[in-house]
Amino acid sequence: MFYVFIIMTIFSVMILLYGVQLRVCKNPLLPATYHGKRTKSYLNYLGKTVMYSALSPFLCGLVALLGESPVIIFLSGITLIVSFIIIMYYSVKNNKEQNR
C-alpha cells in the first residue's frame, strides 16, 4: 500500500500548506460559504487547527505502509478517524485555555 502512503502524504502536505496560508496571509482564501470571524487571532487559531489536522492523513499513510492485508486497511481507516478526533479535541481544548 505504498501508493496510499504517497497519496496521503501529498494530501497532508496540501492541508498543511493551507493552514500556513490561513496563518500568514492578511486576507486568506476562504470558502465562499464561510461567514465566520475574520479576526487575526481567530484566523491564527483556525490555521493552527488546520495544520494539526494535517497530521491525521500522514499517520494513516504510515499505517498503510505496514502491508496490504484487510486488517491493515481497516487499521489505516481507524487511525485516520481516531487521530482526527483526538487532534480536534486537543485543538479545541487548547483554544478554550487561551481564551481564559
Side-chain angles (χ1 to χ4, degrees):
M1 299 216 352
F2 182 70
Y3 297 116
V4 174
F5 173 72
I6 296 294
I7 290 170
M8 287 303 215
T9 302
I10 291 170
F11 186 57
S12 179
V13 168
M14 291 170 64
I15 294 171
L16 183 73
L17 290 175
Y18 183 68
V20 169
Q21 186 255 349
L22 281 175
R23 288 190 72 190
V24 173
C25 291
K26 293 186 188 260
N27 190 14
L29 180 64
L30 293 167
T33 59
Y34 180 78
H35 299 293
K37 296 188 255 181
R38 286 185 172 257
T39 62
K40 187 64 179 168
S41 63
Y42 185 74
L43 288 177
N44 190 18
Y45 159 71
L46 188 63
K48 275 195 239 179
T49 303
V50 169
M51 287 191 298
Y52 290 149
S53 69
L55 184 62
S56 186
F58 184 72
L59 290 174
C60 173
L62 285 178
V63 172
L65 278 177
L66 295 176
E68 294 189 15
S69 70
V71 174
I72 298 298
I73 294 170
F74 181 73
L75 273 175
S76 180
I78 293 297
T79 302
L80 179 68
I81 294 167
V82 170
S83 65
F84 184 75
I85 291 170
I86 291 170
I87 288 168
M88 289 299 114
Y89 172 75
Y90 282 114
S91 179
V92 169
K93 183 179 174 187
N94 186 23
N95 186 44
K96 285 184 180 178
E97 289 175 1
Q98 288 176 355
N99 287 339
R100 289 183 185 174

